[in-house]
Amino acid sequence: MVELTIDGVRTTVPRGTTVLEAARSMGIVIPTLCYDPGLTPYGACRLCIVEVVKGKRSSLEASCTLPAFDGQVIVTNSERVKKARKIIIELLLSTCPTSKKLQDLASNFGVNEVRFKIKDKGCILCGLCVRYCKEQMQSGGIGFVGRGTSRRVGTAFGDTPDECRNCGGCEWICPVCERACTADSLMNGLCGGCQNYAPVETCTVCIGCSESVGARGHKVY
Amino acid sequence: MGAVRIAKSDHDQIEYVIGSNGHSADALISILQDIQAELHYLPEEALRHVAKRLNLPLIQVYGVATFFKAFSLKPKGRHQCTVCMGTACHVRGAGRVLEELERKLNIKAGNTTDDMEYSLDTVNCVGACALGPMVIIDGEYLGIMNAAKVKNVLKAHGAKAARSGQRKG
């Protein structure tokens, strides 16, 4: 067991627990997009950053991949964390401006405009679908292709892979895109599971985000 | 470009490469490097074969093959010509050298000549900035290049390649 302090409250958690899990077990809300309890933590979305206090200094670290250890002092909601999270949300929004989940997050955190250039890629490269396919479905049909700015989630040579069982899990688990699949036919889909392909309406009932994402030349739902 | 069938001899070669790396999934990069060195590119069928033999999902092999710049999924020429476009080389006129090479080989950077002899690529720094502009042909580093030297360099290299080809044959 290790004892650590989160937001001034001392807690004891089993060794090997991550700071995110420890905080959540105490009821502290930390937003995440790329975290799923059943899958390996990946630390891609950076939304779960917390401030780790080390003496007079502190650093921002992703809590989903940060193991808890004895004497750790964590602050989950300081001004610095809030400011960093806002910028992260803005950055995520600039790659996925139409995502309802991101717009709701922006609304919650008071992000009113995106200062970055909007490039709608429909994917934040969080790797949830890749991990789901590999770890949960034991399949490994999809994965990351390329590197740097051209990195994307896809299948090998653009074909539906033999490993794919059309479970549709990749679309189901995608945190930002109501539908990660961009294909309009079954054969060349992300996973091949697009039998029920239909355009998805987003944000028709949501009130919060009508005033969330600002007016710099992109769609406001 | 559809699925390219690889020759039977290449198939045996790939099998040999996998064997010499111990049929191990840990040796994936090493296997791909050997295939790249042998065939000058990674054919689709070779990747499928490697994935099957190593018992890996194809996407993992494909992901590695597309991640590293050292691997190419497009066929490459017999001779690799690389122009350094790093800052130091750039200010010393690498752009003009590249233009001249493009004109002489009649291809754009990143492509291969129709006769599959030369591939022309750019690279961001080769770590020999004092000798810039750098051009590398088949691993031979040629420093202090300029557009005027390009013609002679290609000529000399072509003659040398032909000579070594004769010796081998």
Side-chain angles (χ1 to χ4, degrees), chain B residues 31-58:
Chain B
I31 289 168
L32 294 184
Q33 276 174 331
D34 290 354
I35 297 173
Q36 170 88 33
E38 210 57 62
L39 305 178
H40 303 293
Y41 81 114
L42 301 174
E44 178 173 342
E45 219 167 279
L47 292 187
R48 287 187 191 277
H49 187 72
V50 169
K52 208 165 158 191
R53 296 288 288 156
L54 300 184
N55 208 7
L56 287 172
L58 179 61

mmCIF file of all heavy atoms in Angstrom, chain B residues 31-58:
data_model
loop_
_atom_site.group_PDB
_atom_site.id
_atom_site.type_symbol
_atom_site.label_atom_id
_atom_site.label_comp_id
_atom_site.label_asym_id
_atom_site.label_seq_id
_atom_site.Cartn_x
_atom_site.Cartn_y
_atom_site.Cartn_z
ATOM 1 N N ILE B 31 14.250 -7.765 -39.772
ATOM 2 C CA ILE B 31 13.815 -8.534 -40.947
ATOM 3 C C ILE B 31 13.420 -7.587 -42.074
ATOM 4 O O ILE B 31 13.843 -7.761 -43.223
ATOM 5 C CB ILE B 31 12.617 -9.449 -40.573
ATOM 6 C CG1 ILE B 31 13.094 -10.587 -39.667
ATOM 7 C CG2 ILE B 31 11.944 -10.001 -41.817
ATOM 8 C CD1 ILE B 31 11.969 -11.366 -39.028
ATOM 9 N N LEU B 32 12.641 -6.560 -41.721
ATOM 10 C CA LEU B 32 12.207 -5.607 -42.746
ATOM 11 C C LEU B 32 13.405 -4.890 -43.363
ATOM 12 O O LEU B 32 13.453 -4.639 -44.565
ATOM 13 C CB LEU B 32 11.219 -4.590 -42.159
ATOM 14 C CG LEU B 32 9.863 -5.136 -41.703
ATOM 15 C CD1 LEU B 32 8.965 -4.000 -41.249
ATOM 16 C CD2 LEU B 32 9.178 -5.921 -42.800
ATOM 17 N N GLN B 33 14.401 -4.571 -42.521
ATOM 18 C CA GLN B 33 15.611 -3.913 -43.035
ATOM 19 C C GLN B 33 16.306 -4.804 -44.050
ATOM 20 O O GLN B 33 16.748 -4.343 -45.106
ATOM 21 C CB GLN B 33 16.576 -3.607 -41.888
ATOM 22 C CG GLN B 33 16.262 -2.310 -41.179
ATOM 23 C CD GLN B 33 17.127 -2.105 -39.969
ATOM 24 O OE1 GLN B 33 17.577 -3.063 -39.324
ATOM 25 N NE2 GLN B 33 17.376 -0.853 -39.640
ATOM 26 N N ASP B 34 16.409 -6.104 -43.719
ATOM 27 C CA ASP B 34 17.080 -7.029 -44.630
ATOM 28 C C ASP B 34 16.337 -7.136 -45.952
ATOM 29 O O ASP B 34 16.946 -7.172 -47.023
ATOM 30 C CB ASP B 34 17.205 -8.411 -43.970
ATOM 31 C CG ASP B 34 18.208 -8.402 -42.824
ATOM 32 O OD1 ASP B 34 18.871 -7.345 -42.652
ATOM 33 O OD2 ASP B 34 18.331 -9.412 -42.112
ATOM 34 N N ILE B 35 15.001 -7.189 -45.858
ATOM 35 C CA ILE B 35 14.210 -7.283 -47.094
ATOM 36 C C ILE B 35 14.367 -6.013 -47.919
ATOM 37 O O ILE B 35 14.547 -6.046 -49.134
ATOM 38 C CB ILE B 35 12.714 -7.524 -46.783
ATOM 39 C CG1 ILE B 35 12.538 -8.872 -46.071
ATOM 40 C CG2 ILE B 35 11.889 -7.504 -48.058
ATOM 41 C CD1 ILE B 35 11.136 -9.129 -45.581
ATOM 42 N N GLN B 36 14.346 -4.868 -47.209
ATOM 43 C CA GLN B 36 14.508 -3.579 -47.899
ATOM 44 C C GLN B 36 15.869 -3.524 -48.597
ATOM 45 O O GLN B 36 15.984 -3.073 -49.742
ATOM 46 C CB GLN B 36 14.386 -2.442 -46.885
ATOM 47 C CG GLN B 36 14.753 -1.069 -47.400
ATOM 48 C CD GLN B 36 13.584 -0.344 -48.036
ATOM 49 O OE1 GLN B 36 12.441 -0.499 -47.628
ATOM 50 N NE2 GLN B 36 13.871 0.437 -49.055
ATOM 51 N N ALA B 37 16.911 -4.008 -47.920
ATOM 52 C CA ALA B 37 18.255 -3.984 -48.503
ATOM 53 C C ALA B 37 18.320 -4.888 -49.731
ATOM 54 O O ALA B 37 18.992 -4.578 -50.716
ATOM 55 C CB ALA B 37 19.277 -4.429 -47.466
ATOM 56 N N GLU B 38 17.589 -5.992 -49.663
ATOM 57 C CA GLU B 38 17.642 -6.996 -50.733
ATOM 58 C C GLU B 38 16.847 -6.549 -51.954
ATOM 59 O O GLU B 38 17.317 -6.600 -53.073
ATOM 60 C CB GLU B 38 17.064 -8.302 -50.176
ATOM 61 C CG GLU B 38 17.629 -9.546 -50.767
ATOM 62 C CD GLU B 38 19.144 -9.627 -50.611
ATOM 63 O OE1 GLU B 38 19.653 -9.666 -49.466
ATOM 64 O OE2 GLU B 38 19.809 -9.638 -51.651
ATOM 65 N N LEU B 39 15.605 -6.090 -51.727
ATOM 66 C CA LEU B 39 14.687 -5.787 -52.835
ATOM 67 C C LEU B 39 14.563 -4.292 -53.106
ATOM 68 O O LEU B 39 13.880 -3.894 -54.030
ATOM 69 C CB LEU B 39 13.291 -6.358 -52.528
ATOM 70 C CG LEU B 39 13.198 -7.845 -52.195
ATOM 71 C CD1 LEU B 39 11.762 -8.215 -51.868
ATOM 72 C CD2 LEU B 39 13.702 -8.685 -53.354
ATOM 73 N N HIS B 40 15.182 -3.456 -52.266
ATOM 74 C CA HIS B 40 15.101 -1.993 -52.358
ATOM 75 C C HIS B 40 13.727 -1.444 -52.032
ATOM 76 O O HIS B 40 13.469 -0.264 -52.174
ATOM 77 C CB HIS B 40 15.546 -1.479 -53.729
ATOM 78 C CG HIS B 40 16.943 -1.901 -54.073
ATOM 79 N ND1 HIS B 40 18.025 -1.426 -53.382
ATOM 80 C CD2 HIS B 40 17.415 -2.758 -54.983
ATOM 81 C CE1 HIS B 40 19.113 -1.977 -53.878
ATOM 82 N NE2 HIS B 40 18.775 -2.802 -54.838
ATOM 83 N N TYR B 41 12.788 -2.296 -51.655
ATOM 84 C CA TYR B 41 11.502 -1.824 -51.153
ATOM 85 C C TYR B 41 10.810 -2.981 -50.465
ATOM 86 O O TYR B 41 11.308 -4.111 -50.480
ATOM 87 C CB TYR B 41 10.642 -1.224 -52.275
ATOM 88 C CG TYR B 41 9.890 -2.201 -53.147
ATOM 89 C CD1 TYR B 41 8.501 -2.237 -53.131
ATOM 90 C CD2 TYR B 41 10.563 -3.074 -53.987
ATOM 91 C CE1 TYR B 41 7.797 -3.117 -53.938
ATOM 92 C CE2 TYR B 41 9.866 -3.961 -54.797
ATOM 93 C CZ TYR B 41 8.495 -3.980 -54.774
ATOM 94 O OH TYR B 41 7.804 -4.851 -55.566
ATOM 95 N N LEU B 42 9.655 -2.710 -49.845
ATOM 96 C CA LEU B 42 8.905 -3.759 -49.169
ATOM 97 C C LEU B 42 7.624 -4.045 -49.948
ATOM 98 O O LEU B 42 6.669 -3.284 -49.870
ATOM 99 C CB LEU B 42 8.554 -3.329 -47.735
ATOM 100 C CG LEU B 42 9.728 -2.988 -46.829
ATOM 101 C CD1 LEU B 42 9.227 -2.435 -45.500
ATOM 102 C CD2 LEU B 42 10.584 -4.215 -46.580
ATOM 103 N N PRO B 43 7.614 -5.114 -50.719
ATOM 104 C CA PRO B 43 6.399 -5.424 -51.479
ATOM 105 C C PRO B 43 5.289 -5.845 -50.528
ATOM 106 O O PRO B 43 5.557 -6.377 -49.451
ATOM 107 C CB PRO B 43 6.815 -6.609 -52.359
ATOM 108 C CG PRO B 43 8.272 -6.782 -52.176
ATOM 109 C CD PRO B 43 8.671 -6.096 -50.917
ATOM 110 N N GLU B 44 4.050 -5.597 -50.959
ATOM 111 C CA GLU B 44 2.894 -5.943 -50.125
ATOM 112 C C GLU B 44 2.921 -7.416 -49.744
ATOM 113 O O GLU B 44 2.691 -7.789 -48.593
ATOM 114 C CB GLU B 44 1.606 -5.619 -50.896
ATOM 115 C CG GLU B 44 0.365 -5.991 -50.119
ATOM 116 C CD GLU B 44 -0.911 -5.510 -50.795
ATOM 117 O OE1 GLU B 44 -0.840 -4.620 -51.656
ATOM 118 O OE2 GLU B 44 -1.983 -6.042 -50.442
ATOM 119 N N GLU B 45 3.232 -8.244 -50.718
ATOM 120 C CA GLU B 45 3.218 -9.682 -50.451
ATOM 121 C C GLU B 45 4.267 -10.068 -49.415
ATOM 122 O O GLU B 45 4.040 -10.956 -48.591
ATOM 123 C CB GLU B 45 3.459 -10.447 -51.747
ATOM 124 C CG GLU B 45 2.617 -11.682 -51.847
ATOM 125 C CD GLU B 45 2.635 -12.236 -53.248
ATOM 126 O OE1 GLU B 45 1.877 -11.718 -54.084
ATOM 127 O OE2 GLU B 45 3.417 -13.151 -53.503
ATOM 128 N N ALA B 46 5.414 -9.391 -49.464
ATOM 129 C CA ALA B 46 6.472 -9.677 -48.488
ATOM 130 C C ALA B 46 5.986 -9.350 -47.079
ATOM 131 O O ALA B 46 6.199 -10.124 -46.144
ATOM 132 C CB ALA B 46 7.715 -8.862 -48.824
ATOM 133 N N LEU B 47 5.296 -8.200 -46.933
ATOM 134 C CA LEU B 47 4.783 -7.822 -45.612
ATOM 135 C C LEU B 47 3.763 -8.848 -45.124
ATOM 136 O O LEU B 47 3.770 -9.248 -43.964
ATOM 137 C CB LEU B 47 4.138 -6.431 -45.661
ATOM 138 C CG LEU B 47 5.069 -5.243 -45.890
ATOM 139 C CD1 LEU B 47 4.295 -3.943 -45.746
ATOM 140 C CD2 LEU B 47 6.223 -5.254 -44.914
ATOM 141 N N ARG B 48 2.896 -9.275 -46.035
ATOM 142 C CA ARG B 48 1.884 -10.274 -45.659
ATOM 143 C C ARG B 48 2.566 -11.571 -45.227
ATOM 144 O O ARG B 48 2.167 -12.205 -44.249
ATOM 145 C CB ARG B 48 0.939 -10.546 -46.839
ATOM 146 C CG ARG B 48 -0.025 -9.397 -47.095
ATOM 147 C CD ARG B 48 -1.055 -9.769 -48.148
ATOM 148 N NE ARG B 48 -1.795 -8.607 -48.573
ATOM 149 C CZ ARG B 48 -2.848 -8.108 -47.922
ATOM 150 N NH1 ARG B 48 -3.267 -8.681 -46.821
ATOM 151 N NH2 ARG B 48 -3.470 -7.030 -48.361
ATOM 152 N N HIS B 49 3.609 -11.933 -45.968
ATOM 153 C CA HIS B 49 4.321 -13.171 -45.662
ATOM 154 C C HIS B 49 5.001 -13.073 -44.292
ATOM 155 O O HIS B 49 4.909 -13.988 -43.478
ATOM 156 C CB HIS B 49 5.353 -13.433 -46.759
ATOM 157 C CG HIS B 49 6.023 -14.748 -46.637
ATOM 158 N ND1 HIS B 49 5.385 -15.930 -46.917
ATOM 159 C CD2 HIS B 49 7.274 -15.078 -46.227
ATOM 160 C CE1 HIS B 49 6.214 -16.931 -46.690
ATOM 161 N NE2 HIS B 49 7.373 -16.446 -46.269
ATOM 162 N N VAL B 50 5.654 -11.936 -44.044
ATOM 163 C CA VAL B 50 6.347 -11.736 -42.764
ATOM 164 C C VAL B 50 5.352 -11.800 -41.611
ATOM 165 O O VAL B 50 5.586 -12.475 -40.602
ATOM 166 C CB VAL B 50 7.096 -10.380 -42.756
ATOM 167 C CG1 VAL B 50 7.573 -10.040 -41.358
ATOM 168 C CG2 VAL B 50 8.273 -10.420 -43.712
ATOM 169 N N ALA B 51 4.196 -11.136 -41.788
ATOM 170 C CA ALA B 51 3.183 -11.128 -40.724
ATOM 171 C C ALA B 51 2.717 -12.542 -40.413
ATOM 172 O O ALA B 51 2.562 -12.924 -39.253
ATOM 173 C CB ALA B 51 2.007 -10.255 -41.143
ATOM 174 N N LYS B 52 2.518 -13.310 -41.478
ATOM 175 C CA LYS B 52 2.038 -14.676 -41.314
ATOM 176 C C LYS B 52 3.075 -15.536 -40.591
ATOM 177 O O LYS B 52 2.760 -16.264 -39.659
ATOM 178 C CB LYS B 52 1.765 -15.250 -42.705
ATOM 179 C CG LYS B 52 0.693 -16.309 -42.737
ATOM 180 C CD LYS B 52 0.286 -16.511 -44.185
ATOM 181 C CE LYS B 52 -0.350 -17.851 -44.419
ATOM 182 N NZ LYS B 52 -0.482 -18.089 -45.859
ATOM 183 N N ARG B 53 4.320 -15.419 -41.029
ATOM 184 C CA ARG B 53 5.383 -16.261 -40.474
ATOM 185 C C ARG B 53 5.690 -15.896 -39.021
ATOM 186 O O ARG B 53 6.059 -16.737 -38.233
ATOM 187 C CB ARG B 53 6.655 -16.145 -41.326
ATOM 188 C CG ARG B 53 6.496 -16.651 -42.718
ATOM 189 C CD ARG B 53 6.401 -18.164 -42.742
ATOM 190 N NE ARG B 53 7.682 -18.773 -42.461
ATOM 191 C CZ ARG B 53 7.842 -19.987 -41.971
ATOM 192 N NH1 ARG B 53 6.795 -20.715 -41.694
ATOM 193 N NH2 ARG B 53 9.043 -20.461 -41.730
ATOM 194 N N LEU B 54 5.583 -14.601 -38.699
ATOM 195 C CA LEU B 54 5.903 -14.174 -37.329
ATOM 196 C C LEU B 54 4.676 -14.205 -36.427
ATOM 197 O O LEU B 54 4.749 -13.874 -35.251
ATOM 198 C CB LEU B 54 6.495 -12.761 -37.321
ATOM 199 C CG LEU B 54 7.786 -12.543 -38.103
ATOM 200 C CD1 LEU B 54 8.270 -11.122 -37.908
ATOM 201 C CD2 LEU B 54 8.857 -13.519 -37.668
ATOM 202 N N ASN B 55 3.541 -14.569 -37.030
ATOM 203 C CA ASN B 55 2.301 -14.642 -36.268
ATOM 204 C C ASN B 55 1.932 -13.287 -35.657
ATOM 205 O O ASN B 55 1.551 -13.199 -34.492
ATOM 206 C CB ASN B 55 2.419 -15.711 -35.178
ATOM 207 C CG ASN B 55 1.071 -16.303 -34.848
ATOM 208 O OD1 ASN B 55 0.094 -16.001 -35.539
ATOM 209 N ND2 ASN B 55 1.011 -17.098 -33.809
ATOM 210 N N LEU B 56 2.088 -12.244 -36.460
ATOM 211 C CA LEU B 56 1.733 -10.891 -36.020
ATOM 212 C C LEU B 56 0.551 -10.408 -36.849
ATOM 213 O O LEU B 56 0.392 -10.837 -37.984
ATOM 214 C CB LEU B 56 2.908 -9.933 -36.258
ATOM 215 C CG LEU B 56 4.122 -10.027 -35.357
ATOM 216 C CD1 LEU B 56 5.223 -9.140 -35.903
ATOM 217 C CD2 LEU B 56 3.778 -9.615 -33.948
ATOM 218 N N PRO B 57 -0.276 -9.507 -36.288
ATOM 219 C CA PRO B 57 -1.301 -8.896 -37.138
ATOM 220 C C PRO B 57 -0.617 -8.089 -38.241
ATOM 221 O O PRO B 57 0.405 -7.445 -37.995
ATOM 222 C CB PRO B 57 -2.057 -7.961 -36.194
ATOM 223 C CG PRO B 57 -1.660 -8.340 -34.827
ATOM 224 C CD PRO B 57 -0.329 -8.999 -34.918
ATOM 225 N N LEU B 58 -1.200 -8.144 -39.432
ATOM 226 C CA LEU B 58 -0.591 -7.448 -40.568
ATOM 227 C C LEU B 58 -0.413 -5.967 -40.291
ATOM 228 O O LEU B 58 0.577 -5.358 -40.688
ATOM 229 C CB LEU B 58 -1.454 -7.659 -41.816
ATOM 230 C CG LEU B 58 -0.978 -6.985 -43.096
ATOM 231 C CD1 LEU B 58 0.388 -7.496 -43.495
ATOM 232 C CD2 LEU B 58 -1.963 -7.195 -44.221
#
